[in-house]
Amino acid sequence: MSDIVEKTLTALPGLFLQNQPGGGPAAAKASFSSRLGSLVRGITALTSKHEEEKLIQQELSSLKATVSAPTTTLKMMKECMVRLIYCEMLGYDASFGYIHAIKLAQQGNLLEKRVGYLAVSLFLHESHELLLLLVNTVVKDLQSTNLVEVCMALTVVSQIFPREMIPAVLPLIEDKLQHSKEIIRRKAVLALYKFHLIAPNQVQHIHIKFRKALCDRDVGVMAASLHIYLRMIKENSSGYKDLTGSFVTILKQVVGGKLPVDFNYHILLQVLQKYILLLYLTMILTISAIFIFLSLAILFECVHTVYSIYPKSELLEKAAKCIGKFVLSPKINLKYLGLKALTYVIQQDPTLALQHQMTIIECLDHPDPIIKRETLELLYRITNAQNVTVIVQKMLEYLHQSKEEYVIVNLVGKIADVLVLNTVDTYAPDNAWFIQTMNAVFSVGGDVMHPDIPNNFLRLLAEGFDDETEDQQLRLYAVQSYLTLLDMENVLYPQRFLQVMSWVLGEYSYLLDKETPAEVIAKLYRLLMNDSVSSETKTWLIAAVTKLTPQAHSSDTVERLIHEFTISLDTCMRQHAFELKHLHENVELMKSLLPVDRSCEDLAVDASLSFLDGFVAEGLSQGAAPYKPHHQRQEEKLSQEKVLNFEPYGLSFSSSGFTGRQSPAGISLGSDISGNSAETGLKETNSLKLEGIKKLWGKEGYLPKKESKTGDESGALPIPQESIMENVDQAITKKDQSQVLTQSKEEKEKQLLASSLFVGLGSESTVNLLGKADTVSHKFRRKSKVKEAKSGETTSTHNMTCSSFSSLSNVAYEDDYYLNTLHDRGDKELKTFSLNSELLDSESLTELPLVEKFSNCSLSTPSLFADNSMEIFHPPQSTAASVAKESSLASSFLEETTEYIHSNAMEICNNETISVSSYKIWKDDCLLMVWSVTNKSGLELKSANLEIFPAENFKVTEQPGCCLPVTEAESTRSFQYSVQIEKPFTEEILSGFISYHMMDTHSAQLEFSVNLSLLDFIRPLKISSEDFGKLWLSFANDVKQNVKMSESQAALPSALKTLQQKLRLHIIEIIGNEGLLACQLLPSIPCLLHCRVYADVLALWFRSSCSTLPDYLLYQCQKVMEGS
Amino acid sequence: MIQAILVFNNHGKPRLVRFYQRFPEEIQQQIVRETFHLVLKRDDNICNFLEGGSLIGGSDYKLIYRHYATLYFVFCVDSSESELGILDLIQVFVETLDKCFENVCELDLIFHMDKVHYILQEVVMGGMVLETNMNEIVAQIEAQNRLEKSEVSKQLCSSPGWVEKTWAEAGVCTCVGLCCCETSGNDTHLLSSLSPLKLMDLKVNQP
C-alpha cells in the first residue's frame, strides 16, 4: 500500500505548488508540474545528439533563471535540483546550481535537505572549494536528535568531505560509535574508514575504538570494521597480530552458522590471509563446513586463501576438490572463477591442471572472450619448452581476433615473455618459428607493447646463445625475413617493428650473401622517404644506414640521403645526417668506429671528461667563471634576490653571506674543477649506462639470476605427486582406451590438443595421452648469466666479469685485473672473491686453478687497458658499501657503528627455519636499513632474496652485497637497503618479503614490515647564525605554534637539549630567551626553527622550503615536549 | 572498494551514474560510454565479469554486470571485492528497487532518480557495502517514506479545499488524489482501480 502511495508522492510537489495560494507568479508554476517528465519525454523523442544538446541547454538556462530568482521557494528548488541532477548525469555542466544545492541542504526541511545532500554528493568532489560551506551544516546535523538527519549527515561525510575539515566533525562521529542505533554505528564506522583512507594521520588516535567496533554486538558494525582492518593490515601486517584470535573466532562463528553468511566476510578472509600461522586448523574446519553451507563467494575466497598461505598438502587437496566444483559447474560465472582459482593453483602445483585438462580445452574454444582470456592466462603459467608452440599459437589466434588495446598489450607481453624475456631459456623450438612468431607479435602489438620487449628481443639476437653457428643462422633468418617483409608493398608496420628491423638490418646485413649492403641501404632509404614513418624511427633508420655505409663500397643512395637530410627541418635528423656526412668522408675512421658485429661489446667511456681539462684550464685562465653546479647557482640567485631584510635576523648578517663562502672553491684551477664537475658527470654517465645501454646493447643486462635449471619443470615435482599423477593419468588412459571406439573425431582432436598442451607438466612418461612422446628439445639455451650472481659486486667488477664471458680468451686476463682490484681493496673481500672464482669454475669458463689466481693477486697488471674491450672509471666505493659485503653481520655491524649511530637490532619476523631482524643506521646522507637473516635450522639455505614493496613516500635502493647464494647452517646473511624519502610523512611502513630456498625443499616466503618515522630522515644542519638568517628569509612556508613546557624543561637550554637529542636538531645559537635550531630532511630539505620562551610556554616557529615539512616537524616537537 | 555504479539502458542512455572516486566530468562520460560498449558486445549467456577496462585503473579493476530486460547494472570494483559477492549485491539492489517501486521498470528509474539514489545510499555508502539484507534496506527506506509522508500531510493540512479541486482533474491528478485519501484517512477502496497506473506510460500521463 505504502509503495503505491510512494509512487504518487513524488508527483505531488508540483501540484502543491500549483494550488498553493499566493506563492509567487502563477505562470511560472503552471509549467512546473512535470518538468522532469516533459524533459525526459523531449529527450526520448529526439533522434540526434545535437538536438538533445540544444534541448538541454534550453532547459539549463531556464533552470538557471529559476534557481537564481529570489521568488523561488525551497520546494521549487528541490524540483529544480532533481532536474539538474538529471542533466549532470547526461554529462552537461550544471555548475551554477552547486551553490544552490548547498543552500538547500542548509536551509531546507528534511525532505529538501535530503535532495540537497544528494545533489551535493553527486555534484561536488572532495577538494571542491564550495564544500567548505557545507561543513557547518554537517556539524549541525550530526548533533541533531533526529536519526534521519544524522544518517544523512553521515552518508554525505562518507561520500565527500574536505580533508582539512575532518577535525571539525571527528569528535562527533566518534561519539556516534556509541550510539544506540546500530545503523548509525555502522555508518559512523564507514565514515571513519573513509577518513582513514584520505587522512590516516588524523584518525590514528582512535584505533582503539575500531577494536571496539570489531567486537560490536551488531554483526553489521563488525563487518563494516573489517574494511578498516583489511586496509590497516595491508599497510602493516605485524601490528595487528594480536587480533588474529578475534578474526578466527568470527570466522568460526560464520562457519558454525551462528552468524548469517554475509557479503562482507570475504573481506574477513582477505584479512586473515595476512596471518598464516593460526590459520591451518581453522581453514580445514572452514572448508569442510562451507561445503554444507555453500556460499560460493566465500568458498572461492577460501580456496584463494589456501593457496596464498603457506602450502599444506592436506589443505591443498581439499581446495583442489573445491576447484573441481567450480570448474565443472555448468554455470559460466562459476567456471570463470574456477579457471581463476586454477591459475593460482598451478603456480603451486602444475599437476593439478591435468585433472581438468579437458575442461580447459573446452574453455579455450568458449564463445566468451573473457573465459578464453582467462584460459590463456592459465596456459601461460604452464608453458614449457614442449608445449610452447601450441600455446603461443592459441595466443596468437586470440590476439588476431581481439581489438581492445588492453588485451593486446597484455597478450603481447605474455607471448614475448614466453619467447624473449624468459631468463633462462627461450622456449622457442627453432629459428624460423621464433622469428615468425616475433614478427606476428610485433606487427599486431607494435606500438602499444611494453618498450622492454623489442629491447630484450634485440639483446637476445645480439648476445646469442651457446652455439655460434646457431646464432648466425638466427640472425641471418631474421635479416632475410625482414627484407621480405620490407619488399611487400603498401603494408604499414608499427613503428616499433620498423625500429627493430632497422637495427637488425644495420647490424647483421653483412651475413647476407646475395644482397649487397647497397641494396639494403636502398630499402632503408625508401622507408626513410616514407611520410608515415615517425621521426624517432627515422633516426633508427639513419643509424642503420650509417652502420651499413662502411660495408657498401660506394653508394649513391647514401650521398642522396645525406644531401636530403642535411637540409631537413628536423634538427635531430639533420644532426644525424651531418654525422653521417663527415664519417662518410673518412671511411677508415668510420670502419673503426662502427665495427661489424660488435654490438654487444662494452665501450670505454671516460666519464670524468679528463680530456677536456686543457680546455677548462684555458677558459679559466682567460677569465671565464668556473663551473658551478645547478643547486649552487640557484642558492646564489636566491640569496641575491632578497635585498631588503625586515626580519629580526637581518641585522646580524655580514655582507659576505653565501657567495663569500663559496667563492674560494671556485678559484682553484684545472682538473680540480673538472674533477669537480666530473663527479656529477660521472654519476650521470653511470646511471645513463645502466639504464640506457643495458636495455639495448649492454652485456650486463639486468636479468634475474637463474642458472643450472635445465630440468626445472620436470625435476621440480616432488615424487609423491608424481605417483598420484600417474594414477590419474592411468585412469585417463584407461578411459581413453575404453572410449576410443566411440570417440568422435572432434573428441580426438581435443585429446590431441590436450596432450600437446599439457605435455611436460608431469614426467615425460605419464603425461602424453596419446602416447606420443614429444621429443623437441630446446636448442636455444641462453648463456648463463653468471654475472648476476655477483650483482652484489661493484659495477666495475660487474662489467668486467660480464665481458669476460663474452670471449673466453679474455677470461684469465681480466680475472687478473679483477683479483687485483680485490687485492687492493683488502683482504676482507677475499670471501667474495673466492665465491666468484668458484662460480667461474663451475661454469668451466676458466681452467685456472685457484692457487694460480692467488699468486696472481700480488702481480700488478698495468696492461689492462691494452685490451680495448671496455672501461669505466669509477669513483672509489664508499667504505660502507664495501663493508657491506662482509658476510658476517657482526663484523660489519662493528665497523658501521664506529661511524654512524644505529638502532638496536630488532626481530621482525621469523619461522621455524629462519629469523629476520633489522636495524637502522642513520647515515649522514641516507637511512640505511639492514636486514639480517639468520638461518636457525641445520639445513643449508641455498639462496635468500629480499624484496621490498614499493612505497609511495620513499625510494628504496639496494646496496651492494645483497645476495650471496649459499648461507651455511646457523649463519647470518645481511641485506642492506638505503632508503630515501620522497615526500614527508609522520609514520610509514616499509614492508617486503624475504624469499628463501632451502636445500631439499621448496622455496618459501616470509613477509615483514618495519616502521619508519620522519625522524629517521632528519639530520642536524650545521650552519652559522648568518646563514640561518639568509635561509630564514628565503623560505616561504612557515608554521607557528605555542607549546606548553613541563617543569623539568622550563629553561630554554634544557628544552632545546631535548629537541637536539630526540629530534636531532642542531642548536645554532641561544640568545637570551630565544634559540635558533636547524635540521634537514634527507636528502637536502632544510628546516629552520626559531624558539622563544615566555613563562612556561615555548613558541615554536618553523620555516622550510618544503610546504609540509614544518607541520610534520611541529607534530614531532609537540610529541617530544609533551612526552618528556 | 566499489569505484562506480552505472545503470544504463540497451541504448547506452545513462539512468543512474554514481562514482565513488573522483573523475572529471568528461572522463565520467567516457567511462559510461566505454563500459556500455564493452558490455553491449556480450551475450546474455556468457559470464558476468569483465576485466581490463583501461579507464578505471586498468588491470586491478573489474566490471561486474547484470542485464535485466532493458537495463544494464554495472559495478566497477577493485580487486578486493569478491565477484560473486558483487553479483549477489546487484541482485539485492534490483530486488530492493522492485520492492520499493513494485515491478520496477526503466521509467521508474528515470522519474524517481532521486529515490533510486536514496535506495542506493542504503546499500552502498562511499564505495563500501553497507547492507546486503534486503529487508533491512527496505525498512530503512520505509522509515524515510514515513517521514516524507508526515511532511506531506503537514502540507495538505495547510491547504484546505485542495483535494476536491484535484479530483476533478484527470491523469496524474487521479493518482495524487489517491495519496490524499490515504494520508487524510478517507476510504481507500479506490486504490485498486488505480493500480495499473503505476507503470503508466508517458503518453497516458499526458492530460
Side-chain angles (χ1 to χ4, degrees), chain A residues 205-239:
Chain A
H205 62 284
I206 46 175
H207 282 185
I208 202 91
K209 294 201 171 154
F210 291 153
R211 287 185 188 226
K212 252 185 215 151
L214 186 68
C215 309
D216 199 282
R217 59 183 181 278
D218 176 48
V219 279
V221 181
M222 184 268 290
S225 70
L226 287 178
H227 284 287
I228 299 181
Y229 278 104
L230 177 64
R231 175 89 187 177
M232 293 202 294
I233 288 169
K234 264 185 189 160
E235 283 163 6
N236 174 13
S237 54
S238 55

CSV table of all heavy atoms in Angstrom, one decimal, chain A residues 205-239:
chain,number,residue,atom,x,y,z
A,205,HIS,N,44.6,8.2,16.5
A,205,HIS,CA,44.3,8.0,17.9
A,205,HIS,C,43.1,7.2,18.2
A,205,HIS,O,42.8,6.9,19.4
A,205,HIS,CB,44.2,9.4,18.6
A,205,HIS,CG,43.1,10.2,18.0
A,205,HIS,ND1,43.1,10.8,16.8
A,205,HIS,CD2,41.8,10.5,18.5
A,205,HIS,CE1,42.0,11.4,16.6
A,205,HIS,NE2,41.2,11.2,17.6
A,206,ILE,N,42.2,6.9,17.2
A,206,ILE,CA,41.0,6.2,17.6
A,206,ILE,C,41.1,4.8,17.2
A,206,ILE,O,40.0,4.1,17.1
A,206,ILE,CB,39.8,6.9,17.0
A,206,ILE,CG1,40.0,7.2,15.5
A,206,ILE,CG2,39.3,8.1,17.7
A,206,ILE,CD1,38.8,7.7,14.8
A,207,HIS,N,42.3,4.3,17.0
A,207,HIS,CA,42.4,2.8,16.6
A,207,HIS,C,41.7,2.0,17.6
A,207,HIS,O,41.1,0.9,17.4
A,207,HIS,CB,43.8,2.5,16.4
A,207,HIS,CG,44.3,2.9,15.1
A,207,HIS,ND1,45.6,2.6,14.6
A,207,HIS,CD2,43.7,3.7,14.1
A,207,HIS,CE1,45.7,3.2,13.4
A,207,HIS,NE2,44.6,3.8,13.1
A,208,ILE,N,41.8,2.4,18.9
A,208,ILE,CA,41.3,1.6,20.0
A,208,ILE,C,39.8,1.5,19.8
A,208,ILE,O,39.2,0.4,20.1
A,208,ILE,CB,41.7,2.2,21.3
A,208,ILE,CG1,41.6,1.2,22.4
A,208,ILE,CG2,40.8,3.4,21.7
A,208,ILE,CD1,42.9,0.5,22.6
A,209,LYS,N,39.2,2.5,19.3
A,209,LYS,CA,37.7,2.5,19.1
A,209,LYS,C,37.3,1.5,18.0
A,209,LYS,O,36.2,0.9,18.0
A,209,LYS,CB,37.2,3.9,18.8
A,209,LYS,CG,37.4,4.7,20.0
A,209,LYS,CD,36.5,5.9,20.0
A,209,LYS,CE,36.6,6.6,21.3
A,209,LYS,NZ,36.3,8.0,21.3
A,210,PHE,N,38.2,1.4,17.0
A,210,PHE,CA,37.9,0.4,15.9
A,210,PHE,C,37.9,-1.0,16.5
A,210,PHE,O,37.1,-1.8,16.1
A,210,PHE,CB,39.0,0.5,14.9
A,210,PHE,CG,39.1,1.7,14.1
A,210,PHE,CD1,40.2,2.2,13.5
A,210,PHE,CD2,37.9,2.4,13.8
A,210,PHE,CE1,40.2,3.3,12.7
A,210,PHE,CE2,37.9,3.6,13.1
A,210,PHE,CZ,39.1,4.0,12.5
A,211,ARG,N,38.7,-1.2,17.5
A,211,ARG,CA,38.7,-2.5,18.1
A,211,ARG,C,37.4,-2.8,18.8
A,211,ARG,O,36.8,-3.9,18.7
A,211,ARG,CB,39.8,-2.6,19.2
A,211,ARG,CG,41.1,-2.7,18.5
A,211,ARG,CD,42.3,-2.9,19.5
A,211,ARG,NE,43.5,-2.8,18.7
A,211,ARG,CZ,44.5,-3.7,18.8
A,211,ARG,NH1,44.4,-4.6,19.6
A,211,ARG,NH2,45.5,-3.5,18.0
A,212,LYS,N,36.8,-1.7,19.4
A,212,LYS,CA,35.5,-1.9,20.0
A,212,LYS,C,34.5,-2.2,18.9
A,212,LYS,O,33.6,-3.1,19.1
A,212,LYS,CB,35.1,-0.6,20.7
A,212,LYS,CG,35.2,-0.7,22.2
A,212,LYS,CD,34.7,0.5,22.9
A,212,LYS,CE,35.4,0.8,24.2
A,212,LYS,NZ,35.5,2.2,24.5
A,213,ALA,N,34.6,-1.5,17.8
A,213,ALA,CA,33.6,-1.8,16.7
A,213,ALA,C,33.7,-3.2,16.2
A,213,ALA,O,32.7,-3.8,15.9
A,213,ALA,CB,33.9,-0.8,15.6
A,214,LEU,N,34.9,-3.7,16.3
A,214,LEU,CA,35.1,-5.1,15.8
A,214,LEU,C,34.4,-6.1,16.7
A,214,LEU,O,33.9,-7.1,16.3
A,214,LEU,CB,36.6,-5.5,15.8
A,214,LEU,CG,37.0,-6.8,15.2
A,214,LEU,CD1,36.7,-6.8,13.7
A,214,LEU,CD2,38.4,-7.1,15.4
A,215,CYS,N,34.3,-5.7,18.0
A,215,CYS,CA,33.6,-6.6,19.0
A,215,CYS,C,32.2,-6.1,19.2
A,215,CYS,O,31.6,-6.5,20.2
A,215,CYS,CB,34.4,-6.5,20.3
A,215,CYS,SG,36.1,-6.8,20.1
A,216,ASP,N,31.6,-5.3,18.3
A,216,ASP,CA,30.3,-4.8,18.5
A,216,ASP,C,29.3,-6.0,18.5
A,216,ASP,O,29.5,-7.0,17.8
A,216,ASP,CB,30.0,-3.9,17.3
A,216,ASP,CG,28.8,-3.0,17.7
A,216,ASP,OD1,27.6,-3.4,17.6
A,216,ASP,OD2,29.1,-1.8,18.0
A,217,ARG,N,28.2,-5.8,19.2
A,217,ARG,CA,27.2,-6.9,19.2
A,217,ARG,C,26.4,-7.0,17.9
A,217,ARG,O,25.9,-8.0,17.6
A,217,ARG,CB,26.3,-6.7,20.4
A,217,ARG,CG,25.5,-5.4,20.4
A,217,ARG,CD,24.7,-5.2,21.7
A,217,ARG,NE,23.9,-4.0,21.6
A,217,ARG,CZ,24.4,-2.8,22.0
A,217,ARG,NH1,25.7,-2.7,22.4
A,217,ARG,NH2,23.7,-1.7,21.9
A,218,ASP,N,26.4,-5.9,17.2
A,218,ASP,CA,25.7,-6.0,15.9
A,218,ASP,C,26.7,-6.5,14.8
A,218,ASP,O,27.8,-5.9,14.7
A,218,ASP,CB,25.2,-4.6,15.5
A,218,ASP,CG,24.6,-4.6,14.1
A,218,ASP,OD1,23.8,-5.5,13.9
A,218,ASP,OD2,24.9,-3.8,13.3
A,219,VAL,N,26.3,-7.5,14.1
A,219,VAL,CA,27.2,-8.0,13.1
A,219,VAL,C,27.5,-7.0,12.0
A,219,VAL,O,28.6,-7.0,11.4
A,219,VAL,CB,26.6,-9.3,12.4
A,219,VAL,CG1,26.8,-10.5,13.3
A,219,VAL,CG2,25.1,-9.1,12.0
A,220,GLY,N,26.6,-6.2,11.6
A,220,GLY,CA,26.8,-5.2,10.6
A,220,GLY,C,28.0,-4.3,10.9
A,220,GLY,O,28.8,-4.0,10.1
A,221,VAL,N,28.0,-3.8,12.2
A,221,VAL,CA,29.0,-2.9,12.6
A,221,VAL,C,30.4,-3.7,12.5
A,221,VAL,O,31.4,-3.1,12.1
A,221,VAL,CB,28.8,-2.4,14.0
A,221,VAL,CG1,29.9,-1.5,14.5
A,221,VAL,CG2,27.4,-1.8,14.1
A,222,MET,N,30.3,-4.9,13.0
A,222,MET,CA,31.6,-5.7,13.0
A,222,MET,C,32.1,-5.8,11.5
A,222,MET,O,33.3,-5.7,11.3
A,222,MET,CB,31.3,-7.0,13.6
A,222,MET,CG,32.4,-7.9,13.8
A,222,MET,SD,32.6,-9.0,12.4
A,222,MET,CE,31.2,-10.1,12.6
A,223,ALA,N,31.1,-6.2,10.7
A,223,ALA,CA,31.5,-6.4,9.3
A,223,ALA,C,32.1,-5.1,8.7
A,223,ALA,O,33.1,-5.1,7.9
A,223,ALA,CB,30.3,-6.9,8.5
A,224,ALA,N,31.5,-4.0,9.0
A,224,ALA,CA,32.0,-2.7,8.5
A,224,ALA,C,33.4,-2.4,9.0
A,224,ALA,O,34.2,-1.9,8.2
A,224,ALA,CB,31.0,-1.6,8.9
A,225,SER,N,33.7,-2.8,10.2
A,225,SER,CA,35.0,-2.5,10.7
A,225,SER,C,36.1,-3.4,10.1
A,225,SER,O,37.3,-3.1,10.1
A,225,SER,CB,35.1,-2.7,12.2
A,225,SER,OG,34.9,-4.0,12.6
A,226,LEU,N,35.6,-4.5,9.5
A,226,LEU,CA,36.6,-5.4,8.8
A,226,LEU,C,37.3,-4.6,7.6
A,226,LEU,O,38.5,-4.8,7.4
A,226,LEU,CB,35.9,-6.6,8.2
A,226,LEU,CG,35.5,-7.6,9.2
A,226,LEU,CD1,34.8,-8.8,8.5
A,226,LEU,CD2,36.7,-8.2,10.0
A,227,HIS,N,36.6,-3.7,7.0
A,227,HIS,CA,37.2,-2.9,5.9
A,227,HIS,C,38.4,-2.2,6.4
A,227,HIS,O,39.4,-2.2,5.8
A,227,HIS,CB,36.1,-1.9,5.4
A,227,HIS,CG,35.1,-2.5,4.6
A,227,HIS,ND1,35.3,-2.9,3.3
A,227,HIS,CD2,33.8,-2.7,4.8
A,227,HIS,CE1,34.2,-3.3,2.7
A,227,HIS,NE2,33.3,-3.2,3.6
A,228,ILE,N,38.2,-1.6,7.6
A,228,ILE,CA,39.3,-0.8,8.2
A,228,ILE,C,40.5,-1.7,8.4
A,228,ILE,O,41.6,-1.4,8.1
A,228,ILE,CB,38.8,-0.1,9.5
A,228,ILE,CG1,37.7,0.8,9.2
A,228,ILE,CG2,40.0,0.6,10.1
A,228,ILE,CD1,37.2,1.5,10.4
A,229,TYR,N,40.2,-2.9,9.0
A,229,TYR,CA,41.3,-3.7,9.4
A,229,TYR,C,42.0,-4.3,8.2
A,229,TYR,O,43.2,-4.4,8.2
A,229,TYR,CB,40.8,-4.8,10.3
A,229,TYR,CG,40.8,-4.3,11.7
A,229,TYR,CD1,39.6,-4.0,12.3
A,229,TYR,CD2,42.0,-4.0,12.4
A,229,TYR,CE1,39.6,-3.5,13.6
A,229,TYR,CE2,41.9,-3.5,13.7
A,229,TYR,CZ,40.7,-3.2,14.3
A,229,TYR,OH,40.7,-2.7,15.5
A,230,LEU,N,41.2,-4.6,7.1
A,230,LEU,CA,41.9,-5.1,5.9
A,230,LEU,C,42.9,-4.0,5.5
A,230,LEU,O,44.1,-4.4,5.1
A,230,LEU,CB,40.9,-5.3,4.8
A,230,LEU,CG,41.5,-5.7,3.5
A,230,LEU,CD1,42.2,-7.1,3.7
A,230,LEU,CD2,40.4,-5.8,2.4
A,231,ARG,N,42.5,-2.8,5.5
A,231,ARG,CA,43.3,-1.7,5.0
A,231,ARG,C,44.6,-1.6,5.9
A,231,ARG,O,45.7,-1.5,5.4
A,231,ARG,CB,42.5,-0.4,5.0
A,231,ARG,CG,43.3,0.8,4.7
A,231,ARG,CD,43.2,1.0,3.2
A,231,ARG,NE,44.1,2.1,2.8
A,231,ARG,CZ,44.3,2.5,1.6
A,231,ARG,NH1,43.7,1.8,0.6
A,231,ARG,NH2,45.1,3.5,1.3
A,232,MET,N,44.3,-1.6,7.2
A,232,MET,CA,45.4,-1.3,8.1
A,232,MET,C,46.4,-2.5,8.1
A,232,MET,O,47.6,-2.3,8.2
A,232,MET,CB,44.9,-1.1,9.5
A,232,MET,CG,44.1,0.2,9.6
A,232,MET,SD,44.0,0.9,11.2
A,232,MET,CE,43.0,-0.3,12.0
A,233,ILE,N,45.9,-3.7,7.9
A,233,ILE,CA,46.8,-4.8,8.0
A,233,ILE,C,47.6,-4.9,6.7
A,233,ILE,O,48.7,-5.3,6.7
A,233,ILE,CB,45.9,-6.1,8.2
A,233,ILE,CG1,45.5,-6.1,9.6
A,233,ILE,CG2,46.7,-7.3,7.9
A,233,ILE,CD1,44.5,-7.2,9.9
A,234,LYS,N,47.0,-4.5,5.6
A,234,LYS,CA,47.7,-4.4,4.4
A,234,LYS,C,48.9,-3.5,4.5
A,234,LYS,O,50.0,-3.7,4.0
A,234,LYS,CB,46.9,-3.9,3.2
A,234,LYS,CG,46.3,-5.1,2.4
A,234,LYS,CD,45.5,-4.5,1.2
A,234,LYS,CE,44.8,-5.6,0.5
A,234,LYS,NZ,43.7,-5.1,-0.3
A,235,GLU,N,48.7,-2.4,5.3
A,235,GLU,CA,49.8,-1.5,5.4
A,235,GLU,C,50.8,-2.0,6.4
A,235,GLU,O,52.0,-1.7,6.3
A,235,GLU,CB,49.2,-0.1,5.9
A,235,GLU,CG,48.6,0.7,4.8
A,235,GLU,CD,47.7,1.8,5.4
A,235,GLU,OE1,47.7,2.0,6.6
A,235,GLU,OE2,47.0,2.4,4.5
A,236,ASN,N,50.4,-2.6,7.4
A,236,ASN,CA,51.3,-3.0,8.5
A,236,ASN,C,50.8,-4.3,9.1
A,236,ASN,O,50.0,-4.4,10.0
A,236,ASN,CB,51.3,-1.9,9.6
A,236,ASN,CG,52.1,-2.3,10.8
A,236,ASN,OD1,52.9,-3.3,10.7
A,236,ASN,ND2,51.9,-1.6,11.8
A,237,SER,N,51.4,-5.4,8.5
A,237,SER,CA,50.8,-6.7,8.9
A,237,SER,C,51.2,-7.1,10.3
A,237,SER,O,50.6,-8.0,10.9
A,237,SER,CB,51.1,-7.7,7.8
A,237,SER,OG,52.5,-7.8,7.7
A,238,SER,N,52.3,-6.6,10.7
A,238,SER,CA,52.8,-7.1,12.0
A,238,SER,C,52.0,-6.5,13.2
A,238,SER,O,52.0,-7.0,14.3
A,238,SER,CB,54.3,-6.9,12.2
A,238,SER,OG,54.6,-5.6,12.0
A,239,GLY,N,51.4,-5.3,12.9
A,239,GLY,CA,50.9,-4.5,14.0
A,239,GLY,C,49.6,-5.1,14.7
A,239,GLY,O,49.3,-4.7,15.8
